[in-house]
Amino acid sequence: ELERIFVLSGCLGKAIQDIYNYQRVCYQKEYIQKILERMGSGVITVNNREEIIIFNPKAEDILKRKAVDLVGRTADVLPRVITDMIRETVREGKVYRRHEVASEADGLFLEVDTYGLHSAGGEIIGGVVLLDDISVKKELSKEKKRGEKLQTLNELVGRMAHELRNPLVSVRTFTQLMKESTNIPVQIMLI
């Protein structure tokens, strides 16, 4: 009976250790979930079959799609340009850093980073995509360029007006002097 109690206490110790490890994993999962919820960038992770595993709230905001509709589905449900980048990252190990993409169909300008996820053995087991919406920044840049063009045009028109005004002032002065010195009508003199 002592041997049974010894085996039982070993199993009980193992069960307690498993419970402790399970609670740690749950805590870490909740902690990571809170980080993902509060991130300023959209985060999408996929496995090696290109199935979406994580789709954080910021990614929902940027792409205007719900995580519940996408998690578990392949990356084909995402905008084409993002799907292509995911494929290149997962299949070929290609990494993108601060790569700007435009999704005309969705009206988005994005800055995208991709990273491969590797196992301890070095195999690609998935990928991570970070998305930042730079549409507002692009629009401000366009407005700035438009303003610079208008400023250049205003300077050109101002210089042209100045260059035209100088000879016209001379002609006006000359005609006034001629009018005062002679009785010839000004209209005839200009012809």
Side-chain angles (χ1 to χ4, degrees):
E1 284 188 23
L2 190 58
E3 187 175 321
R4 286 182 183 171
I5 292 175
F6 183 72
V7 169
L8 185 60
S9 65
C11 291
L12 186 59
K14 179 72 171 142
I16 291 172
Q17 184 65 38
D18 287 347
I19 291 170
Y20 173 75
N21 287 337
Y22 176 76
Q23 287 177 338
R24 272 187 49 213
V25 167
C26 289
Y27 173 77
Q28 288 174 350
K29 182 178 177 182
E30 183 179 324
Y31 187 78
I32 290 169
Q33 189 64 33
K34 286 180 182 180
I35 291 172
L36 288 171
E37 287 172 3
R38 287 166 178 78
M39 283 189 69
S41 297
V43 178
I44 303 169
T45 62
V46 297
N47 61 18
N48 61 352
R49 293 182 306 278
E50 300 169 11
E51 296 168 334
I52 298 169
I53 304 299
I54 294 174
F55 198 86
N56 79 338
K58 188 64 177 183
E60 289 181 333
D61 290 343
I62 292 171
L63 297 178
K64 312 256 185 297
R65 300 184 184 175
K66 295 288 183 190
V68 294
D69 299 332
L70 301 176
V71 172
R73 297 179 67 192
T74 63
D76 294 331
V77 296
L78 299 173
R80 174 91 180 162
V81 66
I82 295 172
T83 301
D84 292 343
M85 293 173 77
I86 289 172
R87 283 196 175 124
E88 289 176 355
T89 299
V90 172
R91 293 178 185 177
E92 303 165 18
K94 187 171 182 177
V95 174
Y96 289 92
R97 300 272 193 256
R98 303 181 67 83
H99 185 76
E100 290 186 12
V101 298
S103 177
E104 300 296 329
D106 299 306
L108 291 174
F109 291 95
L110 303 174
E111 189 173 81
V112 181
D113 294 297
T114 65
Y115 306 92
L117 295 174
H118 301 274
S119 69
E123 296 175 30
I124 292 181
I125 58 171
V128 176
V129 178
L130 299 177
L131 305 171
D132 288 303
D133 186 357
I134 58 171
S135 300
V136 172
K137 188 167 45 170
K138 284 288 188 186
E139 189 62 35
L140 287 174
S141 176
K142 284 181 187 178
E143 289 295 323
K144 181 181 176 186
K145 287 179 184 177
R146 199 173 299 131
E148 289 171 354
K149 286 180 183 178
L150 284 174
Q151 182 179 358
T152 303
L153 183 62
N154 284 339
E155 287 175 13
L156 177 65
V157 168
R159 287 181 184 162
M160 286 176 61
H162 179 72
E163 292 299 322
L164 288 173
R165 190 174 343 131
N166 286 344
L168 290 175
V169 167
S170 299
V171 169
R172 188 181 85 201
T173 304
F174 179 71
T175 56
Q176 286 175 348
L177 288 174
M178 290 294 288
K179 185 178 177 182
E180 291 173 6
S181 65
T182 65
N183 290 335
I184 303 171
V186 176
Q187 293 89 352
I188 297 171
M189 287 187 62
L190 292 177
I191 294 175

